Structures are given as structure tokens and as C-alpha cells.
């Protein structure tokens, strides 16, 4: 820390209790100056030789009273004592902690060059310009000390000069930084052995671009805001570093618990802090801050009741980086009058804005692709898949809420396009949880929520689970089993068509499934109408067992209802192969096209299932 000593005489100020200060001298004091609650018993001559204001006040005091009152003295008794000691020529030490108060006090007492050469104002200004504003940490300390004397400091331009000094130093190339700073997050390993001859600074990592963010965190929010604005105005700071600075400040000052956040005595301060941080967010299309930080900031802004327009702006920024978010970040507590645990409407708004923006970008890319004749635009939309997984994960979390109505679940599920869900396993999991947590759904409601899911887009594992799921409607289970049979048959058919090219068979698997499904969808309707009687289930299950022991063994893992359906489909499939030429019998149509009797090939083909995406 920089400091400056003034005067050479020993300090002769003494105290008599807490409210009396006097100078130990053979000469009797002849003036009493009241500064706040402290009385100073001093001599007129040294004071009047340095202060123009005291000359006026003493002249007036001789007429009215022997005492001079200075109730509004800047800095209080301590700063007046510094000025008084300077007048007596006593040793005074100025540093970053007291220089602002001394400067304001000297201004109040009018200790200018017109009164005496090299007066206190001149000496303090030299100290500020030659030492304080050239020091990184001293500039920050001085800026902090201006808070109780803000109006004086503003008039004397101390605040502005401090801010400019700090902002200028943050813009310096990190490789040229020679001053000390605080940086606790990215130091090298503490236990790293320092080799002989290694420079002390070499034991740390290279100076990072955000080296300065921790040091300015001690500033009051209003001064912090002005510093960040000044840093941004220099035009040399990357938005990512600004975002890191805002995050560090928020972590430093925002309480961890919700109770402390909304506590009445700190509610206004927290609200002001959050609103200021939102206003300071970098404007580089959301790239400056992580989505996790923005979502946490949104949670806090809701809790403290931040301005609605600022919250809307925050939602827009979050939508730019939604694909980077995690499910836990979206679990924002709902506020009254909402009855759900989490604010589903808010998340729906974020997702909707993201999808609209992606659709707009997609349309632009299509135009660009048509103009250039390239397909490169496809590579730029992988983030949509991440949002699809994020929404499915969020649905699985909120599905546990008993107060979540079906319409909200369906609307959020449908907020992302089909292209965001090449696989429906996550959606199936969320639907399964919702059905278990809401057992009182009507048949129509169960049908509605299950209609969100495309069984053709379930993986083998999810299909097997769905086939055993007692919560799903019977029709959905039938569809699952039916398309599993189609998938198996398509795999065999594709391999038979291209036995020497497995990659081609994989590519054509979707086409084969669609072809087989198209051939068998109508007969399936007739088959389902025939599966209403339990005895008929058992009869066909027995027929399936006689035709293929291997297929039957795979169905043993299914519950009774699914197993009966599986047996029905399998037995009908066998009949379809044997009577492939017949188009008149409803029982001859099958959801499979496996070779009759070749149970081994069917079993092996089921080991090579592919998800339809």
C-alpha cells in the first residue's frame, strides 16, 4: 500500500476521554472547535495560517461566541484532526484508507494555495495522482472509502478518477501485468514442487483474462455498476469475462438460502443487486454467461420480485443458450397463485422462445442452402436434440407433482418439434411416471397422454418395459408388441436382401419397417377386434407355443396380459407366412414376415434390433 508522510514535528495531540482533544503545549489554547461530539482545544495562529474557512469562522466567533461548531464536517473528528496536525506541522501519514476523508476535509477548510504555498489540498492531489491512481489495489480501496463521502468525492472527481484507473488496468494485456492481485480460483497446484532457479511467478499459471474480477467484488453495487460500465466502454473486454465478473459478484453477495434472500431487512438490497446484474449482462447474444448462471439469476429475480421487464429480458437471454442447461437448472419454484411445485409456465415460455428462434434460423439456413447448393446447415442444429432431451428430463421431474394438470404436461411435451426427439425413451419415462403419480386419470386422458409417444421410436429396452407396463392402455401395449415384431421382421428381410452389406441393411431398416407396417396395419385392426375374449387369447397363446418354442421363451418374461397379446400376434404371424398368397382371411395377415419354422433365425434377428429414429 502506498503512503505519504507530511510534517516533521512529533504528535502533540492528546485525549481527555472520548469527547475532548487538545494540544500539549506551553501556550494556552485560545479557540474551541466542535466537530461532531468532539471538542478540540487549539491555537488560532497555526490554523488560520492554513485555512481560509477557519479565518472566517474565527472572526465571526469573536463577535458571537468563543466556540466554533462544525456539525457537517466531512469525515468527522478523525479527518479534522489530520488537517489540524498538518497546520501544526506534526507528522501525518496519508494512505488509501484516509486520503479521501482528508481531501474532503481540506476542501471544506479551504486549505488552498491561495492561503499558503504547498498547502494540504495540493499535497493530497500530488499523492493521489502519483501513487494512488497508479496502484491497482489502492484505487479500489480509495473507491470503497468514497461511499460515506460520495457527494464530496463526486464533486472533487475522486470517484471518476478511481473508476477510470480501475477500468484502464483491467484492459491491460494480461502478459504485461506486474502488480499484485487476488485470484484464488485458478492457481496452480499448491503442492507443486518449485524447481531451483524457477521464477516465483512461474509457479502460478499464466495471468488469466479475468484476473481482476475478485478484487472489485468488495465494491458497493452502485460503484460496482459504474466500474463494469467503464470496463465495457473501453471496448477491449470479452463478454465472457464480463459474465464471469457478474457471476463472481453474485456469488459473493447473494445469500445461499431462500429464507435469507427474501428476509425483509435485506430484500430491497437483494432486489437492487439482482436488477443491476441483469442490466449489466453482456449483449453479445447470450454468449457472455452460462445458461446455468442465467437460470439461477432468474430464480433469484422471481424470489425477490425483480422488475417484470428485466425478467422477460432474462428469459430471452436464457432461450439463446437453453441447449446448455441442465434439468436441475429448470426446476424454478412456482409462486402464488400457482399450485404446482415448479413454475412450468415459465419453462414453457423459455422453450417456446428457443424453438421459435431455432425455426427462424433453420429457415434462414434453408434459404442459404438453396442459394449455395450445400447441406452444411444441417450440422448447425444439433442443439435442438439437446433441448429435446432436456424437456423430456424436465417432464420426468415435474411428473411427480400431483398438482400438475394433464394439459400443462401435454403442452410442454409438444413445445419441441418432432425432430428434437429421434428416440422417445425419455418421453416414455416421463409418461410412465405421470401415469403412476396420477392413478385417477380417465381412459380418455390416458389415451391423450400416450398419444404423445411414438412406439416406433422406442429402443428395444424401452419397448420391453412398455410391453410389461400395466399403466399403459391395452392398445398401446399392442402397438408396442406389433412394432417390435415389425422391427424384427424388417431386420431379417433387410439382411436377406443384402446379405453381404450390413451397413446397407441398417440404412434400409426404416423403409422395411414402414413397408411391413403398411401391409399389416389394416389386418391388425381385425386382429385386435378378435382379442377381446380371454379364451381366444389362451387358444392363440397355445398355438404360438406349438409353432415356436424360442419365441415363446422370450415372451415368458412378459406379464400375463402382454404375454397373451404377444402370443396372439406371434401365432397370427405364423399363419400369415403360411398363407401369404391368401388375401381373404383376416387371420392370415400378420405383423411379421418371418420364415415359418425358422425360430433360430428369428431369435438371432431379435438380437440385432435397431431403434427407429
Amino acid at each position: 500500500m502506498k503512503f505519504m508522510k507530511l510534517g516533521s514535528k512529533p504528535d502533540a495531540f492528546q485525549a481527555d476521554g472520548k469527547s475532548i482533544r487538545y494540544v500539549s503545549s506551553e501556550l494556552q489554547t485560545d479557540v474551541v472547535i466542535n466537530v461532531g461530539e468532539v471538542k478540540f482545544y487549539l491555537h488560532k495562529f497555526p490554523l488560520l495560517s492554513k485555512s481560509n474557512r477557519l479565518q472566517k469562522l474565527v472572526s465571526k466567533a469573536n463577535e458571537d461566541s468563543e466556540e466554533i461548531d462544525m456539525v457537517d464536517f466531512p469525515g468527522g473528528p478523525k479527518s479534522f484532526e489530520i488537517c489540524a496536525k498538518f497546520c501544526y506541522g506534526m507528522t501525518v501519514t496519508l494512505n488509501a484508507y484516509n486520503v479521501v476523508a482528508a481531501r474532503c476535509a481540506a476542501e471544506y477548510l479551504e486549505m488552498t494555495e491561495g492561503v499558503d504555498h504547498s498547502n494540504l489540498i495540493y499535497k493530497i492531489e500530488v499523492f493521489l495522482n502519483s501513487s494512488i491512481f497508479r496502484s491497482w489495489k489502492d484505487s479500489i480501496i480509495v473507491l470503497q472509502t468514497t461511499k460515506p463521502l460520495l457527494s464530496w468525492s463526486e464533486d472533487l472527481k475522486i470517484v471518476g478518477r478511481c473508476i477510470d484507473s480501475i477500468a484502464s488496468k483491467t484492459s491491460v494485456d494480461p502478459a504485461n501485468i506486474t502488480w499484485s492481485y487476488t485470484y484464488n480460483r485458478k492457481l496452480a497446484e499448491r503442492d507443486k514442487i518449485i524447481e531451483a532457479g524457477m521464477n516465483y511467478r512461474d509457479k502460478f499459471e499464466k495471468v488469466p483474462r479475468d484476473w481482476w474480477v475478485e478484487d472489485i467484488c468488495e465494491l458497493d453495487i452502485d460503484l460496482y455498476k459504474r466500474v463494469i460500465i467503464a470496463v465495457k466502454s473501453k471496448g477491449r473486454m470479452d463478454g465472457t469475462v464480463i459474465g464471469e465478473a457478474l457471476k463472481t459478484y453474485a456469488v459473493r453477495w447473494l445469500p445461499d438460502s431462500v429464507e435469507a434472500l427474501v428476509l425483509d431487512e435485506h430484500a430491497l438490497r437483494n432486489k437492487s443487486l439482482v436488477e443491476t446484474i441483469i442490466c449489466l449482462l453482456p449483449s453479445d447474444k447470450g454468449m457472455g454467461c452460462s445458461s446455468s448462471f442465467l437460470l439461477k439469476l432468474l430464480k433469484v429475480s422471481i424470489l425477490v420480485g425483480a422488475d417484470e421487464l428485466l425478467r422477460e429480458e432474462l428469459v430471452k437471454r436464457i432461450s439463446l443458450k437453453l441447449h446448455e442447461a441442465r434439468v436441475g437448472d429448470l426446476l424454478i419454484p412456482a409462486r402464488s397463485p400457482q399450485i404446482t411445485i415448479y413454475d412450468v409456465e415459465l419453462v414453457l415460455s423459455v422453450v417456446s422462445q428457443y424453438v421459435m428462434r431455432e425455426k427462424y434460423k433453420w429457415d434462414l439456413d434453408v434459404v442459404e442452402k438453396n442459394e449455395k447448393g450445400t447441406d452444411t446447415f444441417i450440422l448447425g442444429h444439433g442443439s435442438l436434440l439437446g433441448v429435446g432431451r432436456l424437456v423430456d428430463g424436465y417432464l420426468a421431474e415435474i411428473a411427480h407433482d400431483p398438482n400438475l394438470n394433464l394439459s400443462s404436461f401435454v403442452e410442454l411435451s409438444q413445445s419441441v418439434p418432432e425432430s428434437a426427439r429421434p428416440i422417445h425413451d425419455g418421453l416414455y419415462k416421463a409418461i410412465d411416471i405421470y401415469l403412476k403419480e396420477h392413478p385417477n386419470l380417465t381412459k380418455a386422458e390416458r389415451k391423450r397422454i400416450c398419444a404423445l409417444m411414438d412406439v416406433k421410436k422406442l429402443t428395444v429396452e424401452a419397448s420391453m418395459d412398455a410391453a410389461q407396463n400395466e399403466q399403459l392402455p391395452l392398445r398401446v401395449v399392442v402397438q408396442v408388441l406389433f412394432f417390435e415384431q415389425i422391427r424384427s421382421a424388417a431386420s431379417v428381410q433387410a439382411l436377406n436382401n443384402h446379405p453381404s452389406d450390413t451397413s446397407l441393411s441398417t440404412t434400409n431398416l426404416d423403409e422395411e419397417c414402414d413397408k411391413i407396417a403398411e401391409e399389416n396395419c389394416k389386418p391388425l385392426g381385425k386382429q385386435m377386434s378378435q382379442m377381446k375374449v380371454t379364451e381366444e387369447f389362451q387358444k392363440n397363446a397355445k398355438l404360438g407355443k406349438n409353432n415356436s418354442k424360442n419365441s415363446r421363451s422370450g415372451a415368458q418374461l412378459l406379464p400375463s396380459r402382454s404375454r397373451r397379446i404377444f402370443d396372439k400376434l406371434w401365432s397370427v404371424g405364423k399363419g400369415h407366412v403360411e398363407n401369404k398368397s391368401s388375401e381373404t382371411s383376416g387371420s392370415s395377415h400378420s405383423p411379421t414376415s418371418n420364415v415359418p419354422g425358422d425360430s433360430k433365425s428369428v431369435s438371432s434377428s431379435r438380437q440385432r434390433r435397431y431403434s427407429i429414429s
Side-chain angles (χ1 to χ4, degrees):
M1 180 184 295
K2 305 291 184 180
F3 65 91
M4 181 175 71
K5 284 190 175 183
L6 302 175
S8 57
K9 296 179 181 179
D11 187 353
F13 268 72
Q14 295 185 9
D16 185 3
K18 294 182 178 180
S19 59
I20 295 178
R21 299 284 286 166
Y22 64 93
V23 176
S24 177
S25 173
E26 295 179 356
L27 297 175
Q28 185 178 0
T29 58
D30 54 3
V31 63
V32 179
I33 300 177
N34 300 320
V35 181
E37 298 179 353
V38 179
K39 289 181 178 292
F40 287 88
Y41 292 85
L42 305 172
H43 303 88
K44 292 180 182 179
F45 176 73
L47 298 177
L48 301 184
S49 65
K50 301 287 185 181
S51 171
N52 187 46
R53 189 182 186 99
L54 282 176
Q55 291 178 10
K56 300 174 184 176
L57 292 174
V58 168
S59 175
K60 184 178 180 180
N62 290 335
E63 301 174 0
D64 302 332
S65 173
E66 295 182 356
E67 296 187 5
I68 299 173
D69 293 325
M70 294 184 177
V71 181
D72 58 343
F73 194 86
K78 289 185 178 180
S79 61
F80 177 80
E81 185 174 332
I82 291 174
C83 295
K85 286 180 179 180
F86 175 79
C87 292
Y88 277 92
M90 299 177 187
T91 302
V92 178
T93 301
L94 296 177
N95 54 47
Y97 289 100
N98 62 14
V99 68
V100 172
R103 177 66 182 85
C104 296
E107 187 71 20
Y108 182 92
L109 293 174
E110 300 177 10
M111 301 175 74
T112 63
E113 291 297 288
V115 180
D116 188 37
H117 180 65
S118 293
N119 212 341
L120 185 56
I121 290 178
Y122 170 77
K123 290 186 178 294
I124 291 178
E125 285 295 327
V126 170
F127 178 54
L128 287 171
N129 294 322
S130 64
S131 298
I132 294 296
F133 297 143
R134 293 188 178 185
S135 169
W136 165 251
K137 288 194 173 181
D138 286 348
S139 296
I140 296 174
I141 293 172
V142 167
L143 186 57
Q144 286 179 282
T145 62
T146 61
K147 184 179 178 181
L149 300 167
L150 195 57
S151 60
W152 281 90
S153 301
E154 292 281 12
D155 292 340
L156 298 174
K157 295 181 173 53
I158 297 176
V159 175
R161 287 183 286 172
C162 280
I163 291 174
D164 185 66
S165 171
I166 294 170
S168 297
K169 289 178 175 61
T170 61
S171 303
V172 173
D173 186 347
N176 297 329
I177 292 176
T178 57
W179 52 83
S180 62
Y181 62 90
T182 302
Y183 195 85
N184 297 321
R185 292 163 297 148
K186 295 181 180 179
L187 294 179
E189 302 83 11
R190 295 181 181 273
D191 298 331
K192 183 178 179 181
I193 299 175
I194 307 301
E195 298 178 3
M198 179 181 289
N199 188 285
Y200 174 78
R201 198 170 185 81
D202 290 341
K203 70 179 182 179
F204 299 106
E205 295 179 358
K206 292 182 179 180
V207 178
R209 294 199 64 190
D210 60 346
W211 59 268
W212 51 273
V213 301
E214 289 183 358
D215 286 341
I216 66 171
C217 278
E218 297 305 316
L219 294 173
D220 181 75
I221 183 62
D222 294 329
L223 293 175
Y224 181 85
K225 176 182 178 180
R226 294 174 64 176
V227 169
I228 293 296
I229 291 175
V231 171
K232 294 167 72 174
S233 67
K234 298 292 181 181
R236 303 173 189 171
M237 194 60 60
D238 187 82
T240 304
V241 181
I242 298 294
E244 183 64 25
L246 296 175
K247 178 182 177 181
T248 304
Y249 192 84
V251 171
R252 170 67 179 82
W253 289 106
L254 287 176
D256 296 329
S257 64
V258 175
E259 293 77 10
L261 190 67
V262 297
L263 200 63
D264 291 339
E265 55 185 299
H266 298 304
L268 290 177
R269 181 186 71 85
N270 293 334
K271 179 182 177 181
S272 174
L273 192 151
V274 170
E275 290 180 342
T276 301
I277 291 177
I278 295 175
C279 292
L280 292 175
L281 289 173
S283 57
D284 53 350
K285 298 183 179 180
M287 299 305 293
C289 299
S290 67
S291 60
S292 178
F293 169 64
L294 293 176
L295 282 163
K296 289 177 182 177
L297 199 60
L298 181 60
K299 290 181 185 180
V300 175
S301 66
I302 294 173
L303 290 172
V304 300
D307 184 76
E308 187 174 351
L309 292 177
L310 291 177
R311 287 195 308 225
E312 291 178 359
E313 174 63 23
L314 197 53
V315 168
K316 291 180 181 178
R317 291 177 177 272
I318 293 171
S319 67
L320 292 169
K321 306 188 75 176
L322 183 61
H323 57 283
E324 297 178 3
R326 298 171 299 178
V327 173
D329 299 329
L330 295 177
L331 299 179
I332 302 173
R335 302 283 286 178
S336 180
Q338 296 177 344
I339 60 174
T340 54
I341 299 175
Y342 301 112
D343 196 335
V344 182
E345 294 180 3
L346 182 61
V347 174
L348 178 61
S349 174
V350 175
V351 174
S352 298
Q353 290 193 38
Y354 172 84
V355 172
M356 287 178 59
R357 185 173 287 103
E358 284 297 305
K359 185 178 183 301
Y360 177 73
K361 288 167 57 178
W362 182 273
D363 292 340
L364 290 180
D365 287 343
V366 169
V367 173
E368 183 178 352
K369 176 243 181 183
N370 292 335
E371 292 177 351
K372 296 183 178 180
T374 62
D375 294 327
T376 54
F377 73 96
I378 298 177
L379 301 176
H381 297 274
S383 60
L384 192 61
L385 300 179
V387 172
R389 291 190 295 268
L390 179 68
V391 171
D392 288 346
Y394 181 75
L395 287 170
E397 288 293 331
I398 64 174
H400 294 280
D401 186 356
N403 293 325
L404 178 66
N405 59 61
L406 180 61
S407 297
S408 297
F409 186 97
V410 172
E411 186 177 6
L412 182 58
S413 173
Q414 294 176 336
S415 63
V416 293
E418 282 296 318
S419 57
R421 284 196 188 98
I423 298 177
H424 277 207
D425 286 19
L427 181 58
Y428 163 67
K429 178 182 177 182
I431 292 173
D432 182 38
I433 294 173
Y434 191 88
L435 291 175
K436 290 177 180 177
E437 296 292 336
H438 301 78
N440 297 325
L441 292 177
T442 64
K443 183 177 180 181
E445 290 173 333
R446 288 176 178 271
K447 181 179 179 181
R448 181 186 177 191
I449 192 172
C450 289
L452 299 171
M453 177 178 59
D454 186 350
V455 297
K456 290 190 294 183
K457 295 185 178 181
L458 296 177
T459 62
V460 175
E461 294 76 10
S463 294
M464 291 301 294
D465 186 84
Q468 304 175 65
N469 194 334
E470 296 289 342
Q471 302 293 329
L472 298 179
L474 177 62
R475 183 180 184 86
V476 175
V477 176
V478 171
Q479 290 176 344
V480 171
L481 293 172
F482 170 59
F483 282 107
E484 271 304 296
Q485 289 291 84
I486 291 177
R487 182 164 16 206
S488 178
S491 177
V492 173
Q493 185 172 339
L495 289 174
N496 289 337
N497 291 340
H498 308 282
S500 61
D501 191 348
T502 56
S503 62
L504 182 60
S505 65
T506 304
T507 304
N508 294 336
L509 184 56
D510 291 351
E511 298 177 3
E512 297 292 345
C513 284
D514 293 339
K515 181 179 179 181
I516 295 175
E518 184 178 355
E519 294 175 355
N520 290 276
C521 279
K522 292 182 180 179
L524 179 63
K526 296 181 180 180
Q527 295 163 19
M528 290 183 63
S529 66
Q530 297 172 3
M531 291 194 295
K532 297 180 180 180
V533 184
T534 305
E535 291 78 12
E536 187 173 352
F537 280 164
Q538 296 174 346
K539 178 181 178 181
N540 286 285
K542 184 175 180 181
L543 179 60
K545 181 177 180 180
N546 293 334
N547 286 335
S548 177
K549 292 183 179 180
N550 288 337
S551 62
R552 180 61 175 169
S553 62
Q556 290 291 341
L557 297 176
L558 303 177
S560 59
R561 181 183 70 161
S562 299
R563 188 167 60 249
R564 291 196 299 270
I565 299 170
F566 184 88
D567 292 339
K568 173 65 179 177
L569 292 174
W570 186 255
S571 62
V572 172
K574 301 291 286 185
H576 170 64
V577 174
E578 293 172 357
N579 302 282
K580 190 172 183 178
S581 60
S582 175
E583 299 293 337
T584 58
S585 175
S587 62
S588 64
H589 293 75
S590 168
T592 71
S593 58
N594 293 328
V595 178
D598 192 1
S599 61
K600 183 176 181 180
S601 64
V602 173
S603 177
S604 63
S605 67
R606 292 173 65 84
Q607 300 300 321
R608 294 190 296 271
R609 291 171 179 166
Y610 298 90
S611 60
I612 309 302
S613 57

